[in-house]
Amino acid sequence: PYSALVSTQSTGSISVLLVMTTAEEVRSLAETGYLSTCELLRNLNVHSVKSFYENQDPLVSVFVLMLVVSLVCFVASVVLNNISIVDMLWSVLPPLYGGYIFSFQPRDSRMQLAFLAISLWGARLTFNLAIKGGYSLKFEDYRWVYIKQFVHPAIMLFFNFTFVAFYQNFLLMLIVMPVYVSLRLQTPLNTMDYVAFGLFMLFLAIESISDWQQRQFRLRKEAEEKKGKKLTFLQSGLFYYSRIPTSGRNR
């Protein structure tokens, strides 16, 4: 029997995709000559589809999903006139991609560590964006609003399609490559793995602390502005040492 055989056959002007699982079904297809829609549905079954995807390289599936998401982001950004649609997915897609790859070998220690790191990273970003109202369809990064005032709409549309929608989604896919490499290598954990994860947890803690300090400053700033006072920039805590404490740690 075939684990997964994909055969494409044209019926008039309609091209159909058939997933076969046994030699008998293949011979039946050859004898029939062509398949009607009902016959196609009868041959397709849950087991065939499941077998097909299980035998796929997970990176291929993630890549296809990335292309679909990129196209959806572009269309949504045009319809809603909001380029920041893809920003809402920055913390969601890497754990989703990583989780899918992780499901192929959930008992591998290195994959567990890599998926845990991606999940913690995504959780921190999701929470931080949510409390800022970043998941509202009306929310658009002020920088895009400013840029659109000086760039021709046609150029902005091309930039949105290439860089914002597709390139950024491609970067989100690259974030999970350590999980995919772990799937292929399947080597035991070593000292460098623990050192790397320890550094990750340290940087995540620094990012979380800076998020909290920035959030407290903004609340204080809003309260002071109601009193007629004006605060400029946060210059205490971690911000005493760096203007943007999270940027270096993210990298």
Side-chain angles (χ1 to χ4, degrees), residues 40-55:
L40 172 65
L41 293 176
R42 281 199 299 270
N43 281 278
L44 282 171
N45 54 69
V46 176
H47 174 73
S48 300
V49 175
K50 181 180 178 182
S51 177
F52 172 72
Y53 280 105
E54 285 180 345
N55 284 277

PDB file of all heavy atoms in Angstrom, residues 40-55:
ATOM      1  N   LEU A  40     -15.093  11.232  -6.408  1.00  0.00           N
ATOM      2  CA  LEU A  40     -13.938  11.828  -5.746  1.00  0.00           C
ATOM      3  C   LEU A  40     -14.156  11.892  -4.246  1.00  0.00           C
ATOM      4  O   LEU A  40     -13.282  11.521  -3.457  1.00  0.00           O
ATOM      5  CB  LEU A  40     -13.691  13.234  -6.298  1.00  0.00           C
ATOM      6  CG  LEU A  40     -12.623  14.065  -5.581  1.00  0.00           C
ATOM      7  CD1 LEU A  40     -11.259  13.414  -5.756  1.00  0.00           C
ATOM      8  CD2 LEU A  40     -12.599  15.476  -6.128  1.00  0.00           C
ATOM      9  N   LEU A  41     -15.352  12.331  -3.834  1.00  0.00           N
ATOM     10  CA  LEU A  41     -15.654  12.442  -2.410  1.00  0.00           C
ATOM     11  C   LEU A  41     -15.674  11.080  -1.743  1.00  0.00           C
ATOM     12  O   LEU A  41     -15.301  10.951  -0.575  1.00  0.00           O
ATOM     13  CB  LEU A  41     -16.999  13.150  -2.222  1.00  0.00           C
ATOM     14  CG  LEU A  41     -17.032  14.630  -2.637  1.00  0.00           C
ATOM     15  CD1 LEU A  41     -18.438  15.186  -2.484  1.00  0.00           C
ATOM     16  CD2 LEU A  41     -16.045  15.445  -1.808  1.00  0.00           C
ATOM     17  N   ARG A  42     -16.091  10.064  -2.472  1.00  0.00           N
ATOM     18  CA  ARG A  42     -16.113   8.722  -1.885  1.00  0.00           C
ATOM     19  C   ARG A  42     -14.693   8.213  -1.648  1.00  0.00           C
ATOM     20  O   ARG A  42     -14.433   7.482  -0.689  1.00  0.00           O
ATOM     21  CB  ARG A  42     -16.866   7.751  -2.807  1.00  0.00           C
ATOM     22  CG  ARG A  42     -18.382   7.852  -2.712  1.00  0.00           C
ATOM     23  CD  ARG A  42     -19.033   6.595  -3.267  1.00  0.00           C
ATOM     24  NE  ARG A  42     -18.719   6.389  -4.669  1.00  0.00           N
ATOM     25  CZ  ARG A  42     -19.449   6.870  -5.672  1.00  0.00           C
ATOM     26  NH1 ARG A  42     -20.536   7.593  -5.414  1.00  0.00           N
ATOM     27  NH2 ARG A  42     -19.107   6.620  -6.917  1.00  0.00           N
ATOM     28  N   ASN A  43     -13.759   8.548  -2.544  1.00  0.00           N
ATOM     29  CA  ASN A  43     -12.385   8.080  -2.396  1.00  0.00           C
ATOM     30  C   ASN A  43     -11.608   8.849  -1.343  1.00  0.00           C
ATOM     31  O   ASN A  43     -10.681   8.320  -0.734  1.00  0.00           O
ATOM     32  CB  ASN A  43     -11.651   8.167  -3.738  1.00  0.00           C
ATOM     33  CG  ASN A  43     -12.012   7.018  -4.661  1.00  0.00           C
ATOM     34  OD1 ASN A  43     -11.466   5.935  -4.535  1.00  0.00           O
ATOM     35  ND2 ASN A  43     -12.951   7.257  -5.565  1.00  0.00           N
ATOM     36  N   LEU A  44     -11.987  10.104  -1.162  1.00  0.00           N
ATOM     37  CA  LEU A  44     -11.320  10.894  -0.127  1.00  0.00           C
ATOM     38  C   LEU A  44     -11.858  10.486   1.236  1.00  0.00           C
ATOM     39  O   LEU A  44     -13.053  10.386   1.436  1.00  0.00           O
ATOM     40  CB  LEU A  44     -11.575  12.389  -0.350  1.00  0.00           C
ATOM     41  CG  LEU A  44     -10.734  13.059  -1.443  1.00  0.00           C
ATOM     42  CD1 LEU A  44     -11.244  14.474  -1.694  1.00  0.00           C
ATOM     43  CD2 LEU A  44      -9.275  13.116  -1.037  1.00  0.00           C
ATOM     44  N   ASN A  45     -10.997  10.281   2.196  1.00  0.00           N
ATOM     45  CA  ASN A  45     -11.441   9.943   3.533  1.00  0.00           C
ATOM     46  C   ASN A  45     -10.482  10.563   4.538  1.00  0.00           C
ATOM     47  O   ASN A  45      -9.385  11.023   4.188  1.00  0.00           O
ATOM     48  CB  ASN A  45     -11.545   8.426   3.726  1.00  0.00           C
ATOM     49  CG  ASN A  45     -10.239   7.725   3.375  1.00  0.00           C
ATOM     50  OD1 ASN A  45      -9.249   7.886   4.093  1.00  0.00           O
ATOM     51  ND2 ASN A  45     -10.236   6.967   2.282  1.00  0.00           N
ATOM     52  N   VAL A  46     -10.900  10.580   5.765  1.00  0.00           N
ATOM     53  CA  VAL A  46     -10.116  11.214   6.819  1.00  0.00           C
ATOM     54  C   VAL A  46      -8.742  10.568   6.947  1.00  0.00           C
ATOM     55  O   VAL A  46      -7.733  11.254   7.115  1.00  0.00           O
ATOM     56  CB  VAL A  46     -10.865  11.141   8.161  1.00  0.00           C
ATOM     57  CG1 VAL A  46      -9.994  11.711   9.281  1.00  0.00           C
ATOM     58  CG2 VAL A  46     -12.184  11.914   8.070  1.00  0.00           C
ATOM     59  N   HIS A  47      -8.689   9.253   6.849  1.00  0.00           N
ATOM     60  CA  HIS A  47      -7.419   8.552   6.991  1.00  0.00           C
ATOM     61  C   HIS A  47      -6.440   8.965   5.898  1.00  0.00           C
ATOM     62  O   HIS A  47      -5.246   9.142   6.148  1.00  0.00           O
ATOM     63  CB  HIS A  47      -7.646   7.049   6.946  1.00  0.00           C
ATOM     64  CG  HIS A  47      -6.368   6.257   6.948  1.00  0.00           C
ATOM     65  ND1 HIS A  47      -5.576   6.126   8.079  1.00  0.00           N
ATOM     66  CD2 HIS A  47      -5.729   5.580   5.945  1.00  0.00           C
ATOM     67  CE1 HIS A  47      -4.515   5.396   7.779  1.00  0.00           C
ATOM     68  NE2 HIS A  47      -4.579   5.050   6.494  1.00  0.00           N
ATOM     69  N   SER A  48      -6.949   9.114   4.672  1.00  0.00           N
ATOM     70  CA  SER A  48      -6.081   9.490   3.559  1.00  0.00           C
ATOM     71  C   SER A  48      -5.476  10.859   3.778  1.00  0.00           C
ATOM     72  O   SER A  48      -4.272  11.064   3.592  1.00  0.00           O
ATOM     73  CB  SER A  48      -6.886   9.476   2.256  1.00  0.00           C
ATOM     74  OG  SER A  48      -7.407   8.200   2.001  1.00  0.00           O
ATOM     75  N   VAL A  49      -6.311  11.809   4.159  1.00  0.00           N
ATOM     76  CA  VAL A  49      -5.837  13.171   4.376  1.00  0.00           C
ATOM     77  C   VAL A  49      -4.849  13.221   5.536  1.00  0.00           C
ATOM     78  O   VAL A  49      -3.794  13.861   5.460  1.00  0.00           O
ATOM     79  CB  VAL A  49      -7.021  14.126   4.640  1.00  0.00           C
ATOM     80  CG1 VAL A  49      -6.521  15.530   4.986  1.00  0.00           C
ATOM     81  CG2 VAL A  49      -7.927  14.175   3.416  1.00  0.00           C
ATOM     82  N   LYS A  50      -5.191  12.510   6.620  1.00  0.00           N
ATOM     83  CA  LYS A  50      -4.307  12.482   7.784  1.00  0.00           C
ATOM     84  C   LYS A  50      -2.958  11.869   7.422  1.00  0.00           C
ATOM     85  O   LYS A  50      -1.895  12.372   7.810  1.00  0.00           O
ATOM     86  CB  LYS A  50      -4.957  11.682   8.916  1.00  0.00           C
ATOM     87  CG  LYS A  50      -4.112  11.621  10.183  1.00  0.00           C
ATOM     88  CD  LYS A  50      -4.810  10.808  11.267  1.00  0.00           C
ATOM     89  CE  LYS A  50      -3.950  10.713  12.518  1.00  0.00           C
ATOM     90  NZ  LYS A  50      -4.590   9.881  13.572  1.00  0.00           N
ATOM     91  N   SER A  51      -2.988  10.774   6.659  1.00  0.00           N
ATOM     92  CA  SER A  51      -1.756  10.121   6.251  1.00  0.00           C
ATOM     93  C   SER A  51      -0.919  11.024   5.366  1.00  0.00           C
ATOM     94  O   SER A  51       0.304  11.069   5.479  1.00  0.00           O
ATOM     95  CB  SER A  51      -2.083   8.819   5.504  1.00  0.00           C
ATOM     96  OG  SER A  51      -0.901   8.200   5.038  1.00  0.00           O
ATOM     97  N   PHE A  52      -1.583  11.770   4.497  1.00  0.00           N
ATOM     98  CA  PHE A  52      -0.876  12.682   3.596  1.00  0.00           C
ATOM     99  C   PHE A  52      -0.120  13.739   4.384  1.00  0.00           C
ATOM    100  O   PHE A  52       1.064  13.997   4.140  1.00  0.00           O
ATOM    101  CB  PHE A  52      -1.876  13.338   2.645  1.00  0.00           C
ATOM    102  CG  PHE A  52      -1.283  14.428   1.797  1.00  0.00           C
ATOM    103  CD1 PHE A  52      -0.423  14.117   0.754  1.00  0.00           C
ATOM    104  CD2 PHE A  52      -1.586  15.744   2.057  1.00  0.00           C
ATOM    105  CE1 PHE A  52       0.126  15.123  -0.026  1.00  0.00           C
ATOM    106  CE2 PHE A  52      -1.043  16.760   1.284  1.00  0.00           C
ATOM    107  CZ  PHE A  52      -0.186  16.442   0.230  1.00  0.00           C
ATOM    108  N   TYR A  53      -0.774  14.366   5.362  1.00  0.00           N
ATOM    109  CA  TYR A  53      -0.127  15.427   6.134  1.00  0.00           C
ATOM    110  C   TYR A  53       0.945  14.892   7.089  1.00  0.00           C
ATOM    111  O   TYR A  53       1.938  15.560   7.337  1.00  0.00           O
ATOM    112  CB  TYR A  53      -1.179  16.235   6.904  1.00  0.00           C
ATOM    113  CG  TYR A  53      -1.865  17.249   6.025  1.00  0.00           C
ATOM    114  CD1 TYR A  53      -3.163  17.041   5.582  1.00  0.00           C
ATOM    115  CD2 TYR A  53      -1.210  18.398   5.613  1.00  0.00           C
ATOM    116  CE1 TYR A  53      -3.794  17.959   4.753  1.00  0.00           C
ATOM    117  CE2 TYR A  53      -1.834  19.322   4.786  1.00  0.00           C
ATOM    118  CZ  TYR A  53      -3.124  19.097   4.360  1.00  0.00           C
ATOM    119  OH  TYR A  53      -3.730  20.007   3.539  1.00  0.00           O
ATOM    120  N   GLU A  54       0.739  13.693   7.609  1.00  0.00           N
ATOM    121  CA  GLU A  54       1.743  13.116   8.494  1.00  0.00           C
ATOM    122  C   GLU A  54       3.036  12.797   7.752  1.00  0.00           C
ATOM    123  O   GLU A  54       4.109  12.787   8.341  1.00  0.00           O
ATOM    124  CB  GLU A  54       1.192  11.852   9.168  1.00  0.00           C
ATOM    125  CG  GLU A  54       0.197  12.145  10.269  1.00  0.00           C
ATOM    126  CD  GLU A  54      -0.330  10.870  10.915  1.00  0.00           C
ATOM    127  OE1 GLU A  54      -0.127   9.788  10.311  1.00  0.00           O
ATOM    128  OE2 GLU A  54      -0.950  10.951  11.988  1.00  0.00           O
ATOM    129  N   ASN A  55       2.926  12.536   6.458  1.00  0.00           N
ATOM    130  CA  ASN A  55       4.100  12.220   5.663  1.00  0.00           C
ATOM    131  C   ASN A  55       4.717  13.455   5.017  1.00  0.00           C
ATOM    132  O   ASN A  55       5.711  13.352   4.302  1.00  0.00           O
ATOM    133  CB  ASN A  55       3.743  11.193   4.573  1.00  0.00           C
ATOM    134  CG  ASN A  55       3.587   9.786   5.123  1.00  0.00           C
ATOM    135  OD1 ASN A  55       4.554   9.069   5.300  1.00  0.00           O
ATOM    136  ND2 ASN A  55       2.356   9.416   5.433  1.00  0.00           N
TER     137      ASN A  55
END
